[in-house]
Amino acid sequence: MSQVWNDICDLSDLVKNTGVCALHNGEQVAVFLDDESNVYAISNYDPCGNAYVLSRGLIADFKGKLTVASPLYKQHFDLTTGECIEEPENSVKAYPVRVEAGKVQLG
Amino acid sequence: MSKQKIVVVGNGMVGHKFIENMIEHPDYDQYEVITFSEEPRLAYDRVQLSYYFAGKTAEELMLTSPDYYDEHGVRYIVKDKVISLDTANNKIVTESGREESYDQLILATGSYPFVPPIPGKDQDHCLVYRTIEDLEAITASAKESKVGVVVGGGLLGLEAANALKNLGLETHVVEFAPRLMAVQLDEGGGDVLRAKIEALDVGVHTEKNTKEIVAGETCRYRMNFADGTFLETDMILFSAGIRPQDELARQFDIEIGPRGGIVINNQCQTSIPNVYAVGECALWDNKIYGLVAPGYQMAKVAVDHITGGNLAFEGADMSTKLKLLGVDVASIGDAQARTPGCLSYTYSNSHDGVYKRLIVSEDNTKVLGAVLIGDVDAYGNLLQMMLGDIAIPGSPEALILPSVDGAPALGVDALPDSAQICSCHDVSKGDIFEAVKGGCTDLAGIKSCTKAVTGCGGCAAMTTQVMNAALTEMGVEVNNNLCDHFEYTRQEVFDIIRTKKIKTFDELLAGYGSGKGCEICKPAVGSMLATQWNEYILSDDNIQLQDTNDIFLANMQKDGTYSVVPRMAAGEVTPDQLIALGEIGKEFNLYTKLTGGQRIDFFGAQLHQLPIIWEKLIAAGFETGHAYGKSLRTVKSCVGSTWCRYGMLDSVSMAVLLEMRYKGMRTPHKVKMAVSGCTRECAEAQSKDVGVIATDKGWNLYLCGNGGMKPRHADLFATDLDDETLIKYVDRFYMFYCHTADRLQRTSVWMDNMEGGLDYLKSVIIEDKLGICEDLEADMARIIDNYECEWKKTINSKERLKRFAHFINSDATDDTLAYVAERGQERARIDMDARAKIAKGDVIETVEVV
């Protein structure tokens, strides 16, 4: 079965090096744009702080890996894989994401 | 076995030091200590006595407390002088008739001020300068006087002159010798010091022998001098040297020197073996030591001898460095060049008022002594060279010439481990190395661990050098780089931003950094850009830099909701504003609480509600309170002279003025201020970064206080300021802090790590030693000019408001939030896991608001 993509917003709605939260199939997804126009999507849920906040964290270059630092207790989550670097048991789900005709889409 | 009983007569600085050393001794449980004091209070810091006039209280000068003595089982009796001594039966008797037996007796009776036998010296307003009670008498007398004279131009005399000047008197110094500080300085040094002191409007009269004190014509008294001249004055302060307080020993047959002083041997024993004498009452090798460091050394030796050790007192170095009437003065070793055959080098610069003389050995290789006036930077180096008998590297004159690149500095490597770095607390190079190895890696840590630098502070530079040498030796790279992406300290990054006029993070990273930046450098640079240019922090360029709270202009709480704090300058609020706030809180069902900074905090606001709430707040006349920023939080105030019966000045108006002036200013860490209308200090200004307290003559300014995790009393920085000067100093202070502090460094830690400490800060801000005050003021003026309410700007920008929806693709809200009712309001459900995390100490500052 081919992948179903949902339109989330226009690419122009995103601000580089920041994130937003999207509602996707009933789940909260954090969507980020980097300074080279790549988009990333991981769960918005921060298991360390037990709150839906990751989209509001700062994007951080953690030894070459692009991550988001949780706004609550600052653990780093890999934007590509959802891995929590400090507490791997608290890693989160990563979502397929792409930009198609100026639209950000989640799969 | 019963405990040995030690009686300590006198609870001054040295008597207390003895007790402190006993308490710290491993065998302390075998001893019982009891101390008697003639004064009404326990030991206080006499070295810092002059700070009493600058606003320090007797309590702040205390070196010990009843609690400390109680805790360690030390008995203490104040206001009861020991008047009789029975060395045959090992007993003492006090004025009140109390008898006490002893196994060992410690005489730490100190000294008393020498008053020359001048006819008329015993009248009212003829005073001395030794105890807190003396200072109280001086203050009282000054209130009824216009002119004051200090008899004695030595070290203490000049300190006393400073006190009289601070009390607002026309001040004169009368000295018998041909120059000031005749004991410490040579003629050239004395001349420069005199010129500097005269420039401060203090009259200096040398070679004056006071014959009598009679009634005056224009003032209360006239002092007639032997040479036929006279001086009129309302009060006289005698500071003509000290005499050992040896009366007790003298009366009860303990050996006394021909010119006074209780004779002691190298173990500090008197002629009676179980009676020791320490401090200024003791005469060792025919010398009385009038400084505190040798006294401390004696206390240490006496404790060691009593407990079975074999330390010996072998004399002490009398070198000193201090600030007298604002003039830096230092004297080292043989300052008067009395060593036969010695050579000397002199550097004199009347333009800057600098005089330096170096005395070296006949063969030109060793430092014997020095006199430094106006520029005492060389003190630490020269002192160590003299004490360590270290060969002078290169040519001697280079040691005192104004610093040019390549001047030979004594590497601390050349010092032996035993080299004494801090003489006040006897801290050696080895002690500092040990402290560093034990984990103290900054100056603040070294201070609290070894006490170095906490006495006179003269060893700050040397201590820092030793600490850095120890860190290097341990292989600890002293790395203050901002983070992995910038190989510069915060201060260097700030300089780059200022001088290269950099306005964006991307520009800075491209030119001076590497990688993509992280959660450390981004907010730090965001803060520096805001300090320097004060542009909108949510602009396209800046928004990516802002930390959790700044990015939505509110404080994120544990469940991802926010708290909202409108500005309420000085805690002033009208009933109408309160009603508006009440309506808004009710409409959004916000948990409502007062903060410690005298304003109102709403909790539980969801992201999408923030702009709606702020639209209403702004309509009601509020603006953002910056509770979310590393910036000025609040200026707390008491009600002041407008309502309070005790208020000296209008503290509320001043607090409003300050808060409105500095609001929105981004700083390395948050800063808080307070203004109290009188010394009752209801606004708790001394626990703030900037505290202002009204006096009957103006404002006293306190800096670098902190409540928080590690409380620190603010330092008294300047007294009796008018409004304009107060604001000028605060402007300069804040900008200097912004330019030089580390990332997230509070002013208290910044101060504790500052080489030269408070005096240095004064020299920068008051005397403009670095010549930067004009720039600091201009930088502050730009911040003030560019202020705008961030929330007002944000609610007027459609583009920005897009970010304040929980979902970018839905109007739904976060349905995961849960609340429980408590005491009539709703608060967030507490999650036990998160609590456990807090207990573990992993918390980053997110829930704290003032």
Side-chain angles (χ1 to χ4, degrees), chain A residues 8 13 15-19 21-23 28 35-36 48 50 52-53 56 58-61 71-72 74 76, chain B residues 485 506 515-517 519 522-523 544 547-548 552 560 562 802-803 806-809 814 816 831 837 844 846:
Chain A
I8 298 301
D13 289 336
V15 176
K16 70 164 184 166
N17 284 329
T18 63
C21 176
L23 188 59
Q28 295 197 16
D35 55 0
E36 289 160 7
C48 309
N50 187 27
Y52 288 81
V53 294
R56 291 176 257 164
L58 260 175
I59 294 186
D61 171 355
L72 286 173
K74 308 296 187 228
H76 295 85
Chain B
H485 307 107
D506 294 348
K516 288 172 179 289
E519 81 282 7
K522 284 179 178 179
Q544 53 164 329
D547 213 340
T548 312
F552 294 109
Y562 291 89
K802 261 196 221 168
R803 302 186 55 79
H806 190 77
F807 296 112
I808 189 99
N809 59 342
D814 187 357
T816 63
D831 169 58
K837 196 174 285 294
I844 316 291
T846 52

Side-chain angles (χ1 to χ4, degrees), chain B residues 450-606:
Chain B
T450 66
K451 292 193 183 169
V453 199
T454 61
C456 72
C459 60
M462 195 53 102
T463 301
T464 309
Q465 286 174 33
V466 172
M467 177 185 78
N468 287 338
L471 288 168
T472 311
E473 188 185 293
M474 284 167 61
V476 178
E477 204 179 314
V478 187
N479 181 346
N480 288 324
N481 291 352
L482 196 55
C483 69
D484 287 349
H485 307 107
F486 289 95
E487 290 184 357
Y488 298 97
T489 62
R490 182 186 174 281
Q491 184 174 352
E492 288 163 346
V493 172
F494 206 120
D495 286 343
I496 292 168
I497 289 172
R498 287 173 63 219
T499 53
K500 304 287 176 192
K501 303 210 175 350
I502 288 175
K503 296 213 166 181
T504 68
F505 180 78
D506 294 348
E507 195 184 340
L508 184 75
L509 189 69
Y512 302 91
S514 63
K516 288 172 179 289
C518 63
E519 81 282 7
I520 293 171
C521 59
K522 284 179 178 179
V525 171
S527 160
M528 286 185 265
L529 291 171
T531 304
Q532 182 62 21
W533 311 117
N534 207 12
E535 290 176 350
Y536 183 44
I537 64 166
L538 300 186
S539 70
D540 285 347
D541 283 323
N542 289 337
I543 192 165
Q544 53 164 329
L545 307 178
Q546 308 307 335
D547 213 340
T548 312
N549 292 341
D550 274 313
I551 201 163
F552 294 109
L553 307 175
N555 294 57
M556 185 187 274
Q557 304 299 323
K558 61 199 299 178
D559 61 351
T561 65
Y562 291 89
S563 75
V564 172
V565 189
R567 187 165 300 289
M568 204 172 274
E572 200 175 50
V573 60
T574 66
D576 280 341
Q577 285 175 322
L578 272 181
I579 290 167
L581 288 173
E583 282 170 350
I584 293 167
K586 197 167 181 179
E587 179 179 347
F588 294 89
N589 196 21
L590 301 171
Y591 173 86
T592 308
K593 193 180 181 309
L594 299 181
T595 72
Q598 299 185 331
R599 47 193 191 174
I600 287 172
D601 200 343
F602 290 133
F603 290 82
Q606 295 177 45

